[in-house]
């Protein structure tokens, strides 16, 4: 796959998630669409959205419930796209959403592989450790706190492939991917604290990305903007920023997360 083909696949998936058209992300003007249940959406999404903002850099595509359409339109048309996902402007949206029982909840940056930067890393890239390809049957005993980014206990059926790093037979690092939709698999990575800063994370991430591509799927990677370690790993592994998302949830949901 080429970088352009990978980007088109990602945009097509975002369009399904948002109930939009893939061409909407390439327009110069912002687009607002109505959110509803969508066959083929990423399997962990809870639809319909109250307010979901997505940008691939050109504009913002907002997928909203009718109740929040006017609020969202007023917001995204007030500020430049490069400032819509940052404070202080987000306070304007948050205050308007709170009046109707919602708050800004999740914000994240998503990465896609750069086929000019992605490369197969050798065992030596990860230090004196052995790497092994893992499949779903190998994950049974690995749903533990130390591997909670690589695997998801609540969605075990989506965890389809992984790469582990071993020190004398003991697992010290794990990259896993979930089949979040038909075309794209999301990568998560964990390395035990005492084994970090040795290149294990990037060796596992890039190896798994190549394995995913070899299976005809697009690997993608998500990180919070403030998670500098994760962003650095994405870049070192051959991934580049592709799009950003912001999700609103009920006040009860957000407040519950903060207890």
């Amino acid at each position: 796959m080429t970088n352009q083909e990978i980007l088109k696949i990602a945009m097509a998936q975002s369009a399904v998630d948002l109930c939009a058209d893939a061409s909407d992300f390439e327009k110069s003007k912002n687009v607002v669409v109505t959110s509803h249940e969508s066959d083929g959406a990423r399997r962990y999404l809870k639809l319909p959205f109250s307010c979901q903002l997505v940008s691939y850099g050109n504009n913002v595509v907002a997928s909203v419930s009718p109740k929040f359409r006017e609020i969202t339109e007023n917001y995204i048309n007030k500020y430049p796209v490069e400032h819509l996902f940052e404070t202080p402007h987000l306070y304007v949206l948050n205050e308007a959403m709170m009046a109707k029982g919602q708050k800004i909840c999740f914000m994240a940056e998503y990465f896609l592989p750069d086929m000019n930067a992605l490369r197969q890393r050798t065992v030596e890239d990860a230090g004196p450790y052995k790497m092994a390809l893992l499949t779903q049957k190998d994950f049974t005993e690995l749903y533990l706190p130390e591997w909670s980014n690589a695997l998801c206990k609540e969605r075990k059926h989506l965890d389809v492939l992984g790469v582990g790093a071993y020190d004398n037979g003991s697992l010290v690092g794990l990259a896993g991917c979930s089949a979040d939709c038909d075309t794209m698999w999301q990568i998560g990575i964990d390395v035990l604290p005492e084994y970090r800063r040795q290149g294990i994370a990037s060796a596992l991430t890039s190896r798994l990305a190549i394995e995913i591509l070899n299976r005809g799927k697009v690997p993608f990677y998500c990180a919070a903007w403030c998670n500098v370690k994760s962003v650095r790993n994405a870049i070192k592994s051959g991934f580049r920023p592709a799009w950003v998302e912001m999700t609103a949830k009920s006040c009860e949901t957000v407040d519950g997360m903060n207890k």
Side-chain angles (χ1 to χ4, degrees):
M1 275 187 258
T2 65
N3 286 342
Q4 192 61 27
E5 289 170 338
I6 288 171
L7 181 61
K8 291 292 185 184
I9 289 170
M11 286 183 173
Q13 183 59 49
S14 291
V16 172
D17 298 340
L18 300 186
C19 306
D21 189 274
S23 64
D24 289 338
F25 301 105
E26 299 180 287
K27 294 177 179 178
S28 57
K29 292 185 177 181
N30 297 325
V31 177
V32 181
V33 297
T34 300
S35 179
H36 53 75
E37 294 291 336
S38 180
D39 292 338
R42 280 176 286 166
R43 296 177 177 107
Y44 57 84
L45 295 178
K46 296 185 185 300
L47 301 175
F49 295 119
S50 57
C51 177
Q52 178 87 348
L53 306 185
V54 176
S55 177
Y56 279 80
N58 296 310
N59 67 346
V60 166
V61 177
S63 185
V64 301
S65 298
K67 180 179 178 180
F68 299 98
R69 187 179 189 96
E70 183 177 1
I71 289 173
T72 305
E73 285 180 336
N74 289 341
Y75 176 71
I76 65 175
N77 292 324
K78 186 175 182 179
Y79 305 107
V81 62
E82 59 269 20
H83 297 304
L84 287 172
F85 293 80
E86 66 178 13
T87 54
H89 302 324
L90 274 176
Y91 290 123
V92 173
L93 178 60
N94 193 57
E95 289 174 6
M97 297 288 291
M98 283 179 63
K100 295 192 175 185
Q102 297 277 310
K103 289 182 179 179
I104 294 169
C105 187
F106 301 121
M107 296 200 306
E109 186 171 19
Y110 289 80
F111 299 76
L112 292 172
D114 180 350
M115 299 304 285
N116 298 314
L118 183 66
R119 68 178 181 86
Q120 181 74 58
R121 295 175 181 268
T122 65
V123 174
E124 287 72 25
D125 288 318
Y129 309 113
K130 293 186 177 181
M131 288 195 289
L133 188 66
L134 307 175
T135 58
Q136 201 168 50
K137 62 181 176 57
D138 301 309
F139 298 148
T140 305
E141 305 299 324
L142 298 179
Y143 287 95
L144 303 169
E146 55 265 45
W147 313 122
S148 59
N149 290 310
L151 303 173
C152 181
K153 188 175 182 179
E154 289 71 32
R155 296 188 293 271
K156 293 180 180 180
H157 63 289
L158 298 182
D159 294 330
V160 292
L161 196 66
V163 180
Y166 294 84
D167 183 8
N168 293 319
S170 296
L171 185 65
V172 300
L174 176 64
C177 65
S178 57
D180 289 345
C181 52
D182 291 341
T183 58
M184 301 178 70
W185 292 359
Q186 182 171 191
I187 294 176
I189 177 73
D190 288 293
V191 177
L192 297 182
E194 60 269 31
Y195 287 89
R196 292 172 186 169
R197 302 184 69 86
Q198 299 182 50
I200 294 175
S202 58
L204 295 177
T205 302
S206 58
R207 167 73 183 279
L208 183 55
I210 291 170
E211 294 288 347
I212 293 170
L213 286 163
N214 288 342
R215 287 159 175 76
K217 308 295 183 180
V218 171
F220 71 106
Y221 186 106
C222 176
W225 286 294
C226 59
N227 193 341
V228 175
K229 292 185 294 184
S230 186
V231 172
R232 284 176 176 167
N233 179 57
I235 300 299
K236 187 175 180 181
S237 301
F239 283 74
R240 299 293 181 264
W243 79 95
V244 293
E245 297 187 5
M246 187 225 72
T247 307
K249 295 282 187 181
S250 70
C251 293
E252 292 79 9
T253 297
V254 177
D255 292 344
M257 292 177 178
N258 288 323
K259 288 182 179 179

